[in-house]
Amino acid sequence: QVQLVESGGGLVQAGGSLRLSCAASGIIFSINAMGWYRQGPGKQRELVARITTGGGNTNYADSVKGRFTISRDNAKNTVYLQMNSLKSEDTAIYYCNVDVIGSDYRVRSHWGQGTQVTVSS
């Protein structure tokens, strides 16, 4: 069993900042890619940012490039999303996604419960 616990969401004014965290725990042999997705009101879930195993490669949605930064702490099995210069259109539920290698060496994708980010204009 793998659990993902997210934190850091909330209400912020436009132009402000928030930092999301997602910690993985449970039966984990190793972790591959980690990422953040979001789902705004009436919209489909979309990729926000993703980071590879060693943290050397990242990719971002065009809408957040230059404003959001994804990072990870492998010792803590934790992924972060630093969000700066927030806009009202960033309002969404943010979900972390982690590819976990279990004791059977199979890779399984896990989702967090979601954390609400609301940006007021």
Side-chain angles (χ1 to χ4, degrees):
Q1 291 264 345
V2 173
Q3 297 81 40
L4 300 182
V5 178
E6 302 176 11
S7 60
L11 174 65
V12 64
Q13 289 188 332
S17 299
L18 283 174
R19 188 190 193 210
L20 305 183
S21 300
C22 174
S25 63
I27 302 175
I28 299 172
F29 179 75
S30 182
I31 293 179
N32 279 351
M34 308 176 85
W36 290 94
Y37 292 72
R38 68 185 181 187
Q39 187 165 14
K43 298 181 180 179
Q44 291 188 334
R45 190 174 298 189
E46 63 175 357
L47 172 69
V48 176
R50 198 153 177 87
I51 186 167
T52 55
T53 304
N57 290 311
T58 58
N59 62 289
Y60 296 89
D62 288 342
S63 59
V64 307
K65 284 181 180 177
R67 300 187 298 121
F68 290 10
T69 302
I70 189 170
S71 61
R72 62 190 286 170
D73 184 334
N74 290 332
K76 297 181 179 179
N77 290 337
T78 299
V79 61
Y80 305 96
L81 185 68
Q82 178 67 45
M83 304 184 294
N84 299 328
S85 302
L86 283 160
K87 305 175 181 180
S88 57
E89 50 262 45
D90 295 319
T91 295
I93 300 174
Y94 284 70
Y95 299 90
C96 70
N97 175 259
V98 178
D99 291 338
V100 175
I101 301 175
S103 56
D104 59 359
Y105 303 106
R106 293 179 61 183
V107 179
R108 295 176 177 85
S109 183
H110 297 269
W111 291 90
Q113 79 282 1
T115 185
Q116 177 70 48
V117 171
T118 303
V119 184
S120 63
S121 56

